[in-house]
Amino acid sequence: MQRELINRARELLADGTVDRVLGWQAGQFAYDITPAVFTDAGELEAHFVYNEFCADNLSKYLIKESEKEGKVLAFLKPCDTYSFNQLVTEHRIRREHVYVIGVESYGKADVEKLRARGISGITGVETVSGMLKVHTMYGDESVPLNEVMLDRCLTCKSKKHVVYDELIGEDGDVVADSGRFDMVEKLERMTAKERFSFWQGELSRCIRCNACRNVCPACTCENCVFDNPGSGLQNRAARDNFEEKLFHIIRAYHVAGRCTDCGECSRVCPEHIPLHLLNRKFIKDFNELYGPFQAGEVSGQMSPMCAYTETADPEASVVRKGGAE
Amino acid sequence: MSVMEKTAAARQAEWKPKIIAFCCNWCSYGGADLAGTNRLSYPANVKIIRVPCSCRVNPMFILRAFQKGADGVIVCGCHPGDCHYSTGNYHARRRMTMLFSMLSFLGVESARTRVEWVSAAEGARFKAVMDSFVEDITRLGPNERLEDLRCKEN
Amino acid sequence: MLYRISCTEMDALFAALSETKTVYLPADREDGQASFVKWTEGTALSNRLNTVRSAKDFFFPQIQPLARFRREGQKIEITDLREESEDFVIFGARACDVRSFEILDRVFLADPVDTSYQTRREHAAIVTMACARPEETCFCTAFDIDPAKPADGDVRAYIADGYCYLEPLTEKGETLLAGAGECLEESDGAAVEAEAGRIRAILEKLPLASLKPADNREKELDVFNSPKWEEMASHCLGCGACTFVCPTCQCFDINDFDSGHGIERYRCWDSCMYHDFTLMASGTPRLTQKERFRQRFMHKLVYYPIRYDGVFSCVGCGRCLRKCPINMNIVKVMKELTGVRPAGAGEEA
Amino acid sequence: MQKIGVFVCWCGTNIASTVDVKAVAEAAKSVPGVVFSTDYQYMCSEAGQNLIKDSVLTYGLTHVVVCSCSPRMHEATFRKAVASIGMNPYMLEVANIREQCSWVHKDKEVGTEKAIALMKAAVAKAMLNTPLTAGSTPVTKRALVIGGGIAGMQTALDIADAGFQVDIVETKPTIGGKMAQLDKTFPTLDCSSCIVTPKMVEVGQHPNITIYAYSEVTEVKGFVGQFTVTIKRKARYVDESKCTGCGACIEKCPMKKVPDEWNMNLNNRKAIYIPFAQAVPKIATIDPAYCLKLNTGKCGVCSKVCGTNAINYEAKDEYLEVGYGAIVAATGYEMIDVSKYDEYAYSNSPDVVTALEYERLMSAAGPTGGHLVRPSDGKEPKTIVFIQCVGSRETEDSCHGGKPYCSKVCCMYTAKHAILTKDHYPDTDIYVFYIDVRTPGKLFDEFYRRAVEQYNVHYIKGAVGKVTPNAETGKLDVQAADLLLMEQLQIEADMVVLAAALEPHRSARPLATMLTAPMDTNDFFTEAHAKLRPVESATAGIYLSGFCQGPKDIPETVSQAGAAAAKVIGLLSKNELVGNPCVAHSDEWMCNGCSQCENVCPYGAITYEEKEFRMPDRTTKIRRVASVNPAVCQGCGACTVTCPSGAMDLRGFTNQEIMAEVDALCL
């Protein structure tokens, strides 16, 4: 796969279709991949990588990249294409400045899950027929890839590329039974008190590093309300547990209807807070209350947060029909 | 004892729910006025904030109210179809539904938040709504799950 | 003097220490990571190499209230919220984290002394745990830290052969262990020496074992003007994950919070990676992420050494290597600045 | 630095009996920012207003907070007062301590405590108030009236008489509307044509009125004072400037079998036609659905006989763009489709007719020349059954999904039909089945009683269950119930007349969308205020005339038409409009161009522009940013909440102001 991507990128650079290539660059170990822009074949050959750790959603970088002159080639995984469409909808990406190559992805590995299993001193990783062979300073370990995949990949909503100029590898389908709302449902079934203590436990770990916000392709404000002294919400760190909740509620609310459920927020959280559950709650509510909606499925869609129906929308009291207090 | 001292003393006495009601200028605020004109009494701990339309109510305002110690927040607007701006309350309905659902998801008691449609003609309804909301909140007790402890007077 | 206690009896040790002091130790969490918690009966010492957040929190917490202002009519009443710390023990910090305290000390204990930091430092006893299982992200040896035989802290500790070995390094350490009473037994150093030897052998094989920071004190401007910053910073998201997990990052902001009943002034961590870190009325002088990114690493690798005799403001704990959302980190920067490009790229996966 | 003055009103005893006003004024003194506070018996009185004004001048107040009755009552009064001494009126806030405090709380302690809280909230908001100035926009001195019925004509005439240019857009080839189709009018029984056709002529000849007949509005842009309307002039295939209306073409047209909608399709007309003799403009129109030339390419007779060469088969729809200051909707009504009421056999028998068809059958200009005969066999009917409320006043569970409202005119026109029928054919038996007979109106009940008492019309409170055409007798078997006598009735009728519900014209809904004017669920335009602004739409610059706002008869329509005209004249006589300063505005530096606000704006007040910005690093950058047209924005605030960065804010109700109120009230 990596070879194919490099070859195609070299061709497109050579024939002038694109001027730059946005992809992933290898790091010092197998897993520490960094997004990068490549401008010539030499750089591609030396540093371009596509492996089971290329998790970064590159679409957000296209905001800046597509502002520049010329055309940029972007490799997008199925989930990334949803974010891309959504950003085009929001006029944040100049579509005509991007050449999208959809790349196949069967799920990315989570190095944190390897570590949680006690695998440490990782020096190299290979994938052999669904098994992740991990070389460590303390010996080799073999783990089935699907046991250490990123949570978001385990509940993948779609393996389909919703936008591309060309595809490398197979295009998949929307996953009907992704089970991505299972955890949300589990929480919904709890009492309010249980939910409260669940979230209190999770959110109290938040260090307000803003990684979730800054990685989020839906968080593209010129100046976030949490950085703006005039907003009344500016805050550097949570002094009280109210502020932890405030930040995450408002953030989820602001991206509601625009969040494509790409899962980057949870992936990058240093404290492993399952932030995607907040976004998924909104997505689930939209689906149930206002009809199925998938942000980024098509560019130009109107967010259900901006829409309404006169008679079909339930009253807000519908919320009270949920679980016990 | 001066009224000032008395009111301070009354504040100390025992917990009384603090309710913030956002009322749209055209219907619900008028409904509240009508409740007044008709001398329909409702609990004094309901404090009204006038907004042009229920769609002006930002989730930020509601969270802010809870942060600052409100025990319940109610948003009142024109009945669906009657919005002065024609569509404001439809937007408000969705926005508040989503916000309240999220608050409930985080474990905040869902009865602490409400949306009610009260027309400028419904003074009696305004009173009834406020009575029932205050009753709900009184039953729930002080808001502890969504408050900022720094804002408690100590 | 060297003491030991069976690993199965650790609770007795913590209970004894807790009689006079609060004991904090790294404990495992459900998500497979560890963090410092206050010991209560049954809290087990984690085997994880490191906690998510560093131990600097004990002295330089993320949020610290400073003062409260109350206004009554025309009068303003000001209350100092800083308090004298109580005695506490940090049990099981790693050598890298403990070395970071020295780096923070140079800043916070220099004139004018940060009194809240100072009182916490004075009341803390630190038990430094040797690293039984260093990881690929470790590069403390680059900064002359010896995780096989930690030199910093009040007590140095090892876990080996089912025992926890404790060796006081300071008077405070001796007093601390003396307070542990009956549960400790004296021991010879054989097991400890063997363990240190075993660890050293591992350290030599670490992928970053050969990493050495370049002394660029003489080349401040050259490094500052290096064209490499542009590329290195080009994909930085501008979040503060690296800063907040870093044991040596020390920047803070002071804010006021109006509770309605009064105003609380507090300080909290800030990050030079944030776009508004240097925001002033006239705007910010660090216009793009390149300047912010450069600032962070210039500070750690050039400015701090210039100011403090060549000491780097990094302890090689590896947290930023693990936590950066895009895996850009100080090691990659150090390699770039010494002209070494990361290897291992470009092969067929 | 803010210097706030707080003025606490007693409102006689209205406030003072439940609120310790002195304590409120005293409490204000310790609120940061307040430099002066006092109380007075009637703050709204001249003396009270002077007290405010004097204090502003004496103490150099920058902001004023009045604790009094509802701002809905006297905010304008107090704002005017401070404006008179040069203070920006938006520096004033009102704390509602009467309707929302003293009148709803009985305990003085409680009332006082709450009044103090409300005062503090108002101070907190006032503290952040900034001077607001309304922008102004020029007014295009031309009005558009959509619909050329009696409502539209009257509105147009009144506006034109005041000296302003008016255009009428009418979808039909002629103006005149439904009234021109009526035979007589109740309760005076004067001839409808006789009174409406002179009006049509007056409109046609008025120097200030332009009629765009056979035309439609297809697009409306702009806002009050500055509308730009696209008018589609449907191809008549007859050059309006050449046609003299001589009728030669009609005479020679071979296509004779075109249902004549003017006569409710009771007879036929030609493919080229003038709806009726008095049509204005009197110009022939080719019906493209039936014209042989247009459909088959053969014929062309009309072109040959036309003396002025007015026929043009190549004509195309034309589009005009015209600027207007005001738009009046006068789209009128139509009858509901009664064919879904199977029980009345409308689709099965030509002798079951709607009231409007009956009107044409009675009319001297109608298909029968005014001779009342059964459409089926041309015989005079001897027994006629009138059924009231067909599709009106239906309840939610009714199976036909008719209208919940009363169509208002049916009771009276049915009495008219009965009287006229009896007048001409005294031996006719007439039955009227009604739910209620509603006759409020000048001389209305007298008229109805004449039908019952003088003309012996059988009014039966009851319902018709079924109308069955009887093939043998050629009559209609009407099965009905008399609800007063509680008995079943069988009537053998010659004709059945259905008083079908009237509904807003089908063109009203798409028009409302174009105008961004609110409508109710029945497709009636919603008035800006049900009592006080009945002829204005909530959308500024849009006015309502006639049935499109709600069911009404001719005199009511004419009165409303005049009222709408008066409002339009008031608008057009201004050279510029001063807007509402409490409008949304976008901070262009914070806007990221996502367009969400544009999606929720009900007025289309937000547009996006690509603008060049000089960035802090001294480069220039083209950014897409939102811009609010303050003349169009009505200040609802929908956009402010949809904007995640808070780039969009609402003047007069800013995020900060509202949060300051929240903070103060939560203390």
Side-chain angles (χ1 to χ4, degrees):
Chain A
M1 189 58 135
Q2 173 174 317
R3 188 70 259 160
E4 273 176 78
L5 302 191
I6 293 173
N7 288 347
R8 186 62 187 137
R10 289 181 61 168
E11 279 169 33
L12 290 167
L13 277 174
D15 69 15
T17 309
V18 300
D19 304 283
R20 287 158 286 136
V21 177
L22 175 62
W24 301 272
Q25 176 174 318
Q28 338 183 56
F29 318 112
Y31 58 81
D32 56 338
I33 311 294
T34 306
V37 170
F38 305 85
T39 50
D40 61 51
E43 285 178 13
L44 282 165
E45 290 295 343
H47 307 295
F48 183 94
V49 67
Y50 186 67
N51 65 16
E52 49 285 281
F53 291 101
C54 291
D56 305 74
N57 181 346
L58 300 181
S59 48
K60 191 174 186 179
Y61 290 109
L62 290 169
I63 297 172
K64 282 244 152 54
E65 286 301 326
S66 73
E67 274 174 6
K68 297 177 186 161
E69 288 297 308
K71 204 156 182 170
V72 61
L73 162 62
F75 290 108
L76 300 181
K77 303 187 295 296
C79 42
D80 307 348
T81 60
Y82 285 82
S83 309
F84 180 84
N85 256 350
Q86 184 61 31
L87 286 164
V88 170
T89 301
E90 292 170 21
H91 308 276
R92 303 294 284 147
I93 290 178
R94 294 175 65 177
R95 178 68 181 90
E96 68 278 13
H97 283 195
V98 187
Y99 188 88
V100 177
I101 294 188
V103 293
E104 183 179 87
S105 166
Y106 293 107
K108 298 297 173 195
D110 185 354
V111 69
E112 294 282 281
K113 281 196 177 166
L114 291 174
R115 290 184 176 130
R117 287 175 162 237
I119 301 173
S120 65
I122 302 164
T123 51
V125 180
E126 294 167 73
T127 314
V128 187
S129 55
M131 294 296 283
L132 220 52
K133 202 169 168 203
V134 189
H135 307 292
T136 85
M137 292 157 51
Y138 304 102
D140 289 356
E141 306 254 3
S142 210
V143 191
L145 174 60
N146 58 18
E147 285 184 18
V148 289
M149 260 198 239
L150 288 164
D151 279 342
R152 70 164 189 216
C153 298
L154 292 173
T155 53
C156 176
K157 65 180 178 292
S158 171
K159 300 206 177 345
K160 183 180 143 109
H161 296 83
V162 287
V163 58
Y164 55 81
D165 294 306
E166 68 178 82
L167 269 180
I168 293 184
E170 294 277 301
D171 199 11
D173 291 315
V174 172
V175 184
D177 51 350
S178 64
R180 62 177 171 143
F181 299 120
D182 291 357
M183 187 59 194
V184 175
E185 274 163 25
K186 190 179 157 194
L187 283 162
E188 284 170 346
R189 282 194 299 271
M190 292 180 179
T191 64
K193 206 172 170 185
E194 287 165 342
R195 280 198 297 274
F196 181 75
S197 69
F198 172 84
W199 282 113
Q200 184 89 325
E202 295 291 344
L203 295 179
S204 63
R205 297 201 303 272
C206 174
I207 55 173
R208 281 299 287 280
C209 65
N210 292 313
C212 52
R213 180 190 75 182
N214 291 17
V215 81
C216 175
C219 274
T220 62
C221 285
E222 294 285 322
N223 193 10
C224 175
V225 282
F226 288 100
D227 292 343
N228 173 8
S231 72
L233 289 177
Q234 190 214 21
N235 185 232
R236 271 275 179 269
R239 159 86 170 87
D240 186 281
N241 65 36
F242 173 83
E243 285 180 332
E244 293 152 2
K245 296 188 199 98
L246 176 76
F247 176 78
H248 292 289
I249 295 170
I250 293 287
R251 207 187 83 75
Y253 192 88
H254 280 180
V255 302
R258 307 191 296 122
C259 166
T260 64
D261 198 11
C262 77
E264 286 285 85
C265 46
S266 291
R267 178 179 73 86
V268 303
C269 178
E271 289 282 0
H272 297 177
I273 302 170
L275 294 167
H276 65 284
L277 292 178
L278 298 176
N279 303 319
R280 280 195 184 159
K281 168 64 177 165
F282 275 135
I283 295 169
K284 182 169 177 283
D285 279 353
F286 283 135
N287 287 342
E288 288 174 2
L289 300 177
Y290 311 120
F293 178 80
Q294 172 59 52
E297 195 172 22
V298 191
S299 80
Q301 277 173 305
M302 169 122 96
S303 152
M305 212 60 168
C306 294
Y308 63 87
T309 65
E310 293 178 7
T311 48
D313 283 10
E315 294 299 330
S317 57
V318 69
V319 172
R320 264 176 276 166
K321 289 184 193 137
E325 294 299 334
Chain B
M1 201 166 16
S2 83
V3 172
M4 280 299 285
E5 286 167 325
K6 265 196 287 183
T7 53
R11 216 178 298 147
Q12 297 285 324
E14 62 184 277
W15 173 78
K16 266 192 253 142
K18 237 178 238 174
I19 312 282
I20 296 296
F22 290 96
C23 290
C24 84
N25 182 49
W26 305 97
C27 286
S28 308
Y29 195 87
D33 278 355
L34 186 62
T37 311
N38 294 341
R39 311 296 197 275
L40 301 171
S41 189
Y42 53 87
N45 25 27
V46 174
K47 310 257 165 61
I48 296 169
I49 291 177
R50 184 166 68 125
V51 285
C53 176
S54 50
C55 71
R56 177 67 188 93
V57 180
N58 195 310
M60 247 159 53
F61 305 159
I62 291 170
L63 294 172
R64 175 80 153 221
F66 281 124
Q67 173 180 34
K68 296 282 175 166
D71 299 297
V73 178
I74 181 165
V75 175
C76 300
C78 310
H79 285 273
D82 292 350
C83 174
H84 176 79
Y85 305 101
S86 69
T87 57
N89 49 3
Y90 295 131
H91 287 300
R93 181 164 63 186
R94 274 205 183 186
R95 290 169 181 169
M96 294 306 128
T97 304
M98 296 311 282
L99 175 69
F100 296 172
S101 174
M102 179 51 67
L103 293 180
S104 161
F105 188 62
L106 282 163
V108 177
E109 305 93 330
S110 56
R112 288 204 190 276
T113 48
R114 244 205 230 187
V115 172
E116 291 283 356
W117 311 126
V118 181
S119 82
E122 295 175 324
R125 180 169 154 74
F126 185 86
K127 171 203 157 53
V129 163
M130 292 307 152
D131 282 349
S132 109
F133 191 53
V134 171
E135 196 186 307
D136 279 3
I137 301 300
T138 309
R139 198 170 51 240
L140 283 173
N143 160 38
E144 278 163 358
R145 296 184 191 166
L146 203 57
E147 64 173 349
D148 195 321
L149 289 172
R150 290 169 292 176
C151 298
K152 295 274 164 195
E153 199 175 12
N154 45 25
Chain C
M1 190 56 77
L2 186 65
Y3 302 92
R4 71 172 194 180
I5 179 169
S6 164
C7 284
T8 56
E9 319 252 313
M10 291 299 277
D11 245 20
L13 172 65
F14 296 138
L17 296 176
S18 290
E19 277 181 21
T20 51
K21 302 170 170 62
T22 311
V23 175
Y24 295 94
L25 73 173
D28 285 339
R29 316 195 306 211
E30 276 180 25
D31 67 345
Q33 307 199 82
S35 46
F36 280 100
V37 297
K38 186 174 158 181
W39 178 84
T40 54
E41 204 173 328
T43 310
L45 185 66
S46 170
N47 285 324
R48 299 267 166 215
L49 183 72
N50 247 326
T51 49
V52 181
R53 293 162 69 163
S54 83
K56 80 172 171 190
D57 299 25
F58 288 111
F59 308 119
F60 174 45
Q62 183 162 20
I63 283 251
Q64 188 192 354
L66 301 175
R68 184 179 293 127
F69 314 105
R70 270 178 207 276
R71 185 166 163 174
E72 190 77 42
Q74 302 299 311
K75 279 187 303 189
I76 294 182
E77 176 200 344
I78 304 174
T79 321
D80 190 342
L81 299 176
R82 289 171 301 170
E83 283 168 352
E84 183 76 2
S85 173
E86 289 177 353
D87 283 352
F88 64 101
V89 182
I90 304 171
F91 192 101
R94 301 291 180 185
C96 46
D97 275 12
V98 179
R99 175 66 61 84
S100 78
F101 305 151
E102 244 177 60
I103 291 168
L104 298 177
D105 286 351
R106 290 194 191 91
V107 176
F108 289 124
L109 297 182
D111 194 47
V113 171
D114 182 315
T115 53
S116 339
Y117 180 87
Q118 187 181 37
T119 172
R120 289 192 170 93
R121 280 292 271 141
E122 282 167 359
H123 285 87
I126 298 153
V127 179
T128 315
M129 183 65 73
C131 300
R133 203 176 154 99
E135 298 185 3
E136 78 279 11
T137 51
C138 292
F139 58 104
C140 60
T141 51
F143 303 103
D144 300 323
I145 296 166
D146 185 4
K149 192 174 183 187
D152 304 307
D154 299 304
V155 174
R156 123 171 102 217
Y158 294 85
I159 304 254
D161 308 334
Y163 285 93
C164 175
Y165 294 87
L166 297 160
E167 182 184 356
L169 298 175
T170 62
E171 209 174 303
K172 200 191 245 175
E174 274 171 28
T175 324
L176 178 74
L177 294 187
E182 307 291 293
C183 61
L184 295 178
E185 56 179 338
E186 286 187 19
S187 164
D188 63 33
V192 168
E193 285 308 319
E195 174 67 1
R198 189 188 64 81
I199 295 172
R200 286 211 177 89
I202 298 169
L203 293 175
E204 280 168 22
K205 289 189 285 178
L206 285 177
L208 300 178
S210 61
L211 185 74
K212 270 290 161 200
D215 183 349
N216 282 323
R217 281 183 286 173
E218 304 294 318
K219 294 189 276 181
E220 182 184 8
L221 268 180
D222 297 333
V223 177
F224 186 88
N225 291 321
S226 165
K228 288 174 178 170
W229 293 115
E230 186 79 47
E231 195 200 321
M232 286 191 287
S234 61
H235 293 85
C236 174
L237 296 169
C239 76
C242 54
T243 322
F244 288 181
V245 297
C246 178
T248 69
C249 269
Q250 59 220 209
C251 292
F252 60 79
D253 188 21
I254 293 181
N255 269 313
D256 289 345
F257 174 78
D258 186 355
S259 73
H261 301 291
I263 289 167
E264 184 186 278
R265 176 159 295 176
Y266 62 96
R267 84 169 172 194
C268 60
W269 293 352
D270 203 345
S271 170
C272 55
M273 287 293 207
Y274 289 163
H275 67 92
D276 53 352
F277 179 71
T278 45
L279 186 66
M280 295 171 278
S282 60
T284 175
R286 295 184 195 145
L287 288 170
T288 69
Q289 200 57 27
K290 180 190 110 182
E291 287 86 26
R292 297 162 208 146
F293 183 93
R294 176 174 64 192
Q295 167 62 26
R296 181 160 190 272
F297 295 104
M298 284 296 285
H299 184 203
K300 294 203 179 303
L301 302 172
V302 183
Y303 304 148
Y304 194 96
I306 289 176
R307 186 153 184 181
Y308 300 108
D309 281 337
V311 176
F312 292 92
S313 182
C314 175
V315 293
C317 69
R319 284 188 178 87
C320 56
L321 275 67
R322 293 157 171 250
K323 294 303 183 187
C324 174
I326 63 152
N327 296 303
M328 194 61 215
N329 54 55
I330 195 163
V331 170
K332 288 181 180 174
V333 173
M334 283 161 71
K335 287 182 176 178
E336 282 288 344
L337 295 185
T338 47
V340 186
R341 195 92 204 231
E347 291 123 74
E348 185 74 32
Chain D
M1 191 63 195
Q2 293 89 336
K3 291 168 100 179
I4 300 174
V6 175
F7 299 85
V8 187
C9 180
W10 299 29
C11 198
T13 57
N14 277 315
I15 293 174
S17 67
T18 353
V19 168
D20 183 342
V21 287
K22 295 239 180 275
V24 177
E26 191 55 35
K29 290 198 165 68
S30 63
V31 179
V34 177
V35 294
F36 175 76
S37 74
T38 189
D39 57 280
Y40 186 73
Q41 272 186 320
Y42 290 103
M43 211 56 89
C44 60
S45 68
E46 201 179 337
Q49 292 187 42
N50 285 337
L51 170 66
I52 297 174
K53 293 192 228 173
D54 292 346
S55 312
V56 169
L57 297 173
T58 312
Y59 300 97
L61 303 179
T62 58
H63 297 70
V64 169
V65 169
V66 183
C67 304
S68 61
C69 53
S70 172
R72 285 163 60 100
M73 188 73 117
H74 275 313
E75 188 175 64
T77 313
F78 294 126
R79 283 191 169 160
K80 225 166 128 186
V82 297
S84 74
I85 50 159
M87 181 185 256
N88 183 287
Y90 294 89
M91 305 302 264
L92 178 134
E93 282 296 322
V94 173
N96 184 344
I97 61 165
R98 192 179 75 174
E99 282 85 346
Q100 295 179 9
C101 186
S102 71
W103 278 353
V104 284
H105 307 310
K106 297 187 177 74
D107 186 311
K108 197 160 186 174
E109 211 174 280
V110 169
T112 306
E113 189 190 345
K114 180 164 172 182
I116 289 171
L118 296 177
M119 174 273 291
K120 284 181 173 169
V123 170
K125 185 178 181 205
M127 196 82 128
L128 298 165
N129 284 4
T130 48
L132 301 180
T133 324
S136 65
T137 48
V139 178
T140 305
K141 305 221 170 216
R142 189 179 195 95
L144 171 66
V145 175
I146 302 168
I150 183 60
M153 288 194 293
Q154 187 62 51
T155 303
L157 279 173
D158 288 350
I159 299 170
D161 282 344
F164 296 104
Q165 293 292 321
V166 191
D167 295 351
I168 296 178
V169 171
E170 166 61 52
T171 54
K172 302 240 163 54
T174 174
I175 58 170
K178 294 283 186 301
M179 189 177 168
Q181 290 178 277
L182 304 182
D183 177 30
K184 300 277 191 313
T185 57
F186 60 77
T188 46
L189 295 182
D190 42 359
C191 157
S192 190
S193 284
C194 311
I195 51 181
V196 79
T197 50
K199 275 258 187 250
M200 291 161 64
V201 173
E202 202 185 338
V203 169
Q205 292 179 345
H206 203 293
N208 288 345
I209 299 179
T210 308
I211 301 171
Y212 294 113
Y214 208 54
S215 300
E216 284 165 14
V217 169
T218 55
E219 195 186 0
V220 180
K221 285 185 294 196
F223 47 89
V224 57
Q226 295 278 301
F227 293 106
T228 306
V229 177
T230 308
I231 299 166
K232 174 177 158 188
R233 307 219 57 202
K234 293 182 279 185
R236 275 189 197 252
Y237 306 99
V238 175
D239 189 330
E240 290 192 17
S241 61
K242 291 181 185 163
C243 177
T244 58
C246 70
C249 52
I250 302 172
E251 206 173 302
K252 294 285 188 267
C253 177
M255 183 62 208
K256 296 171 179 164
K257 297 227 164 122
V258 185
D260 184 357
E261 57 280 274
W262 162 252
N263 278 328
M264 303 305 292
N265 303 336
L266 291 166
N267 65 344
N268 291 332
R269 61 164 167 78
K270 300 287 185 66
I272 187 163
Y273 65 107
I274 293 173
F276 59 103
Q278 296 87 355
V280 173
K282 196 170 177 189
I283 293 168
T285 307
I286 293 180
D287 189 332
Y290 293 93
C291 172
L292 293 169
K293 177 75 178 172
L294 290 175
N295 286 291
T296 65
K298 291 172 193 148
C299 186
V301 170
C302 50
S303 172
K304 285 173 203 137
V305 302
C306 180
T308 60
N309 250 335
I311 309 291
N312 172 14
Y313 300 115
E314 304 300 316
K316 293 268 175 304
D317 294 348
E318 284 170 27
Y319 291 86
L320 289 180
E321 253 195 21
V322 191
Y324 298 101
I327 299 176
V328 182
T331 45
Y333 67 91
E334 55 192 337
M335 265 190 176
I336 62 160
D337 176 13
V338 289
S339 57
K340 61 184 170 184
Y341 292 84
D342 291 337
E343 65 268 40
Y344 300 139
Y346 178 77
S347 311
N348 304 337
S349 168
D351 296 334
V352 180
V353 297
T354 67
L356 210 47
E357 289 163 7
Y358 194 76
E359 201 74 53
R360 294 310 299 151
L361 287 172
M362 300 277 290
S363 169
T368 58
H371 186 191
L372 178 64
V373 292
R374 301 192 341 153
S376 60
D377 55 9
K379 288 183 188 152
E380 280 181 11
K382 292 298 164 209
T383 307
I384 306 177
V385 169
F386 286 85
I387 305 173
Q388 300 302 94
C389 296
V390 175
S392 293
R393 303 178 68 193
E394 281 195 4
T395 50
E396 255 175 45
D397 47 354
S398 124
C399 53
H400 299 302
K403 307 295 173 186
Y405 55 84
C406 166
S407 298
K408 197 166 183 181
V409 290
C410 325
C411 288
M412 288 306 294
Y413 72 59
T414 299
K416 174 189 78 177
H417 288 158
I419 289 175
L420 289 172
T421 308
K422 282 284 222 184
D423 248 350
H424 295 307
Y425 313 98
D427 57 342
T428 317
D429 244 351
I430 295 182
Y431 297 87
V432 178
F433 286 93
Y434 66 91
I435 306 176
D436 296 294
V437 177
R438 295 179 164 179
T439 57
K442 191 172 170 185
L443 294 175
F444 281 14
D445 204 55
E446 295 90 322
F447 186 73
Y448 156 62
R449 285 209 311 272
R450 245 163 76 203
V452 179
E453 291 160 10
Q454 193 180 323
Y455 287 93
N456 241 337
V457 176
H458 309 299
Y459 269 81
I460 299 166
K461 186 176 175 74
V464 171
K466 200 163 178 52
V467 177
T468 320
N470 189 324
E472 281 173 35
T473 59
K475 290 179 186 266
L476 299 161
D477 293 339
V478 177
Q479 193 179 5
D482 183 327
L483 290 177
L484 294 178
L485 299 173
M486 294 303 279
E487 57 181 35
Q488 292 292 317
L489 295 175
Q490 293 282 352
I491 299 168
E492 206 172 59
D494 296 302
M495 277 185 84
V496 169
V497 182
L498 307 177
L502 306 183
E503 64 182 353
H505 196 268
R506 71 197 71 173
S507 63
R509 172 64 65 176
L511 178 65
T513 310
M514 283 189 265
L515 296 172
T516 65
M519 273 194 150
D520 65 20
T521 49
N522 293 315
D523 282 6
F524 287 115
F525 281 92
T526 313
E527 54 278 20
H529 189 282
K531 299 288 171 294
L532 303 176
R533 298 172 66 194
V535 301
E536 294 157 81
S537 165
T539 302
I542 309 294
Y543 301 88
L544 312 174
S545 176
F547 198 97
C548 69
Q549 178 260 337
K552 44 182 78 63
D553 64 15
I554 294 166
E556 283 174 332
T557 296
V558 172
S559 328
Q560 200 197 19
K567 291 286 173 190
V568 172
I569 294 163
L571 171 65
L572 296 189
S573 40
K574 290 178 186 143
N575 289 324
E576 55 180 27
L577 291 175
V578 178
N580 163 22
C582 296
V583 292
H585 66 105
S586 153
D587 180 332
E588 292 177 336
W589 281 103
M590 286 213 285
C591 174
N592 72 9
C594 75
S595 291
Q596 294 211 107
C597 53
E598 192 183 16
N599 289 337
V600 298
C601 178
Y603 305 102
I606 301 171
T607 48
Y608 276 81
E609 305 168 3
E610 303 259 325
K611 271 178 106 167
E612 196 174 280
F613 286 82
R614 191 162 163 77
M615 305 305 285
D617 62 358
R618 295 176 189 174
T619 56
T620 51
K621 186 174 169 185
I622 307 285
R623 293 175 60 234
R624 183 187 146 85
V625 291
S627 136
V628 179
N629 184 336
V632 186
C633 175
Q634 303 285 306
C636 67
C639 53
T640 61
V641 181
T642 216
C643 178
S645 63
M648 197 60 91
D649 209 347
L650 185 64
R651 296 203 162 98
F653 292 93
T654 64
N655 288 334
Q656 287 199 343
E657 285 169 342
I658 295 174
M659 284 202 280
E661 283 184 272
V662 169
D663 288 358
L665 288 179
C666 284
L667 275 186

